[in-house]
Amino acid sequence: MNKKQYEAKRTALMNEAQALINAGKAKEAEEKMNEVKALDEQWDAIAQAEANFRALNQEPKAMNPEKIEDSIADKNIVEAETPVAKAWASEEYKNAWAKTLMGRQLSNKEKETYQLVNESYTHTTENTSIVIPKSVSRGIWELAGEIYPYFGEVTKTYINGLLSMIQDDTSSEAKWYDEATETEEGKETLKEFTLKGCELSRDITVKWKLKEMSIDEFIPYIQRRMAKKMGAGAGYGVTHGAGEGATTGKPEPMGTVTALEKEEGTPQVITYANGTLPTYKDMLALRAKVKSGYGAGLKVYANTDTIWNKIAAIVDNNGRPIFVPDPTAGGAYRVLGMLVKEDDSMKDGEILASNAKDGYHLNINKEMTMIPEEHVKERKTDYCGYAIMDGNVLTTKAHALLKEAAAAKVNEQSAKK
């Protein structure tokens, strides 16, 4: 079934439903409208399958990040053609969503749009979660990316279900040959991993009095609050997530720092003495660890304490600071030519040099929803945000980590002596 056939069939069913309503046959009309809903779900499945096929029918994504962006664009075009996707992205649904959270009355048209989107995404009217409008959801992730820049800069896709990726491991060097010499077979080592689904859930609390805001004020307020909470979880996931075998017992994305520390022999990790400053030589070694080809998008990520108490104090062999302001980058700082990004998902003493865009892939495979819970006595409402995502490094050669060595354990009895 193509789009034209779908639209023709849907129009015919809607006309039949209207005729039954006009004839006073409510039960038959309801059955006909259920056929329309089933048809919409069938078309959504077809559109999603087409998007997934296009995404898979590309060159290996890890080798060609630009193709990822092309496949996302193609998928969004297909999505935009479906009635549910159009409704999800509409101003009408955004207003209906905000009014629902604020406890205000919806118009009949807003009720229809609200029901269409939420039944399609949750598959049941009994589920109390509310799908966040497309523009609001994207706004939350963008704000989260500003607060946690590493999360903001990794490559993202929005594909439902499992997503298989190719991870670059090692590659043989290219050689030149004379006419009489037979070409050797290349020794390419590739690993495949699958991005599944890790649940991320955070809640915020809003006093009833704040619901008296206008919708234009309420939506940005909720976005900012939820971005801080969801961003904290997402930021941790892409830098320090423990992966599928998480120690918490629940699956997490594979964080870049975790991947570097788990790699056999930890070739991309450098340590400096505990309680000391990293040296100029350490920073040069950190930069040298990142493979050629990833330098254009290379940045340094560290938390506030590490930036100002460690990186800012490093000097070169002539006693000059290597942490210098860049007036062309809005007051940001650079070290060895790399922009320094303040990211509180990083731990004290950790300095990560990383090309986040080309070296990490995150798939958000379930759009963010929000579940409200009223507390009458306290006159407040809890809003619980929920999303499913997973991520992993595409190649460890796009990253390097400089961190403090583990503190030596002191024997208590020896210390007393």
Side-chain angles (χ1 to χ4, degrees):
M1 179 172 62
N2 58 33
K3 183 173 181 288
K4 189 173 182 180
Q5 291 169 330
Y6 158 70
E7 289 178 341
K9 191 171 182 179
R10 192 178 195 279
T11 299
L13 287 172
M14 289 296 290
N15 290 338
E16 290 175 27
Q18 185 62 58
L20 290 169
I21 291 172
N22 295 340
K25 298 179 180 180
K27 184 178 179 180
E28 291 85 346
E30 185 66 30
E31 291 174 354
K32 191 61 64 175
M33 285 187 282
N34 287 335
E35 289 183 40
V36 175
K37 292 176 183 178
L39 179 66
D40 288 342
E41 290 179 4
Q42 182 185 359
W43 174 248
D44 286 344
I46 292 171
Q48 183 61 61
E50 175 68 18
N52 289 341
F53 176 78
R54 292 191 186 192
L56 290 173
N57 191 29
Q58 301 286 339
E59 297 174 28
K61 296 178 177 64
M63 304 295 101
N64 195 351
E66 290 77 13
K67 289 293 183 182
I68 293 174
E69 295 173 4
D70 292 343
S71 68
I72 297 170
D74 290 343
K75 173 180 179 294
N76 287 339
I77 290 170
V78 174
E79 273 192 337
E81 293 175 347
T82 69
V84 173
K86 284 182 178 179
W88 176 48
S90 68
E91 277 296 308
E92 192 170 69
Y93 179 69
K94 185 170 76 171
N95 289 331
W97 171 81
K99 285 183 178 180
T100 301
L101 294 188
M102 301 169 78
R104 298 182 183 177
Q105 189 71 28
L106 274 63
S107 68
N108 290 335
K109 185 62 176 175
E110 287 171 340
K111 287 179 182 177
E112 290 178 11
T113 305
Y114 178 85
Q115 186 176 5
L116 172 65
V117 172
N118 283 280
E119 285 189 6
S120 298
Y121 278 95
T122 63
H123 305 294
T124 172
T125 55
E126 296 175 358
N127 193 320
T128 56
S129 64
I130 304 172
V131 178
I132 298 178
K134 184 175 183 178
S135 60
V136 178
S137 177
R138 294 293 191 270
I140 289 173
W141 291 132
E142 287 172 7
L143 286 169
E146 292 176 9
I147 302 169
Y148 296 90
Y150 195 80
F151 166 75
E153 291 165 7
V154 302
T155 293
K156 300 179 187 68
T157 49
Y158 299 83
I159 299 174
N160 295 333
L162 304 182
L163 178 62
S164 294
M165 302 293 295
I166 300 297
Q167 187 179 55
D168 181 15
D169 189 12
T170 59
S171 175
S172 59
E173 294 182 359
K175 296 181 179 180
W176 291 81
Y177 299 88
D178 58 32
E179 187 175 355
T181 304
E182 182 179 347
T183 303
E184 296 178 6
E185 291 187 6
K187 297 179 180 179
E188 309 294 334
T189 304
L190 301 174
K191 296 179 181 179
E192 184 175 354
F193 63 86
T194 301
L195 299 182
K196 300 180 181 177
C198 307
E199 298 181 58
L200 176 63
S201 181
R202 293 291 187 276
D203 69 274
I204 59 175
T205 301
V206 174
K207 291 288 187 181
W208 282 4
K209 184 178 286 187
L210 292 175
K211 293 183 183 181
E212 301 304 318
M213 295 177 177
S214 68
I215 291 176
D216 289 340
E217 292 173 328
F218 183 77
I219 290 177
Y221 174 78
I222 291 293
Q223 279 183 313
R224 288 192 300 272
R225 293 282 307 277
M226 191 56 72
K228 289 182 179 180
K229 287 293 188 77
M230 296 293 277
Y236 157 80
V238 296
T239 59
H240 290 82
E244 190 172 353
T247 55
T248 60
K250 298 178 180 179
E252 299 176 355
M254 174 60 74
T256 299
V257 172
T258 306
L260 299 182
E261 292 178 332
K262 288 181 68 174
E263 191 174 18
E264 185 177 355
T266 60
Q268 300 302 107
V269 180
I270 307 167
T271 59
Y272 59 95
N274 183 266
T276 66
L277 289 176
T279 65
Y280 178 53
K281 185 177 179 180
D282 290 332
M283 294 301 295
L284 291 175
L286 177 73
R287 176 63 184 87
K289 287 282 185 184
V290 180
K291 187 177 179 180
S292 299
Y294 294 103
L298 193 61
K299 297 176 184 177
V300 166
Y301 302 87
N303 67 19
T304 305
D305 181 80
T306 303
I307 289 174
W308 295 103
N309 289 324
K310 292 188 180 291
I311 299 176
I314 301 172
V315 296
D316 64 16
N317 294 333
N318 296 314
R320 295 173 299 190
I322 64 171
F323 183 68
V324 294
D326 182 354
T328 67
Y333 285 78
R334 289 183 181 270
V335 58
L336 301 181
M338 299 176 287
L339 272 175
V340 178
K341 292 283 189 170
E342 184 177 313
D343 194 315
D344 280 342
S345 69
M346 298 297 296
K347 297 178 182 178
D348 288 348
E350 291 180 338
I351 302 171
L352 177 65
S354 175
N355 186 322
K357 183 178 185 297
D358 292 344
Y360 194 97
H361 188 104
L362 181 76
N363 185 50
I364 299 175
N365 54 11
K366 186 185 190 308
E367 284 298 339
M368 196 184 306
T369 59
M370 193 175 290
I371 303 174
E373 182 180 357
E374 298 290 348
H375 299 276
V376 179
K377 289 183 179 180
E378 295 89 350
R379 296 182 300 283
K380 65 182 183 181
T381 304
D382 289 337
Y383 297 111
C384 183
Y386 176 80
I388 299 177
M389 62 182 69
D390 198 5
N392 206 331
V393 296
L394 296 176
T395 171
T396 57
K397 301 301 186 291
H399 324 275
L401 177 67
L402 177 61
K403 67 172 187 174
E404 283 186 318
K409 294 183 179 179
V410 180
N411 185 288
E412 291 184 6
Q413 293 183 350
S414 300
K416 290 179 181 178
K417 294 178 181 179

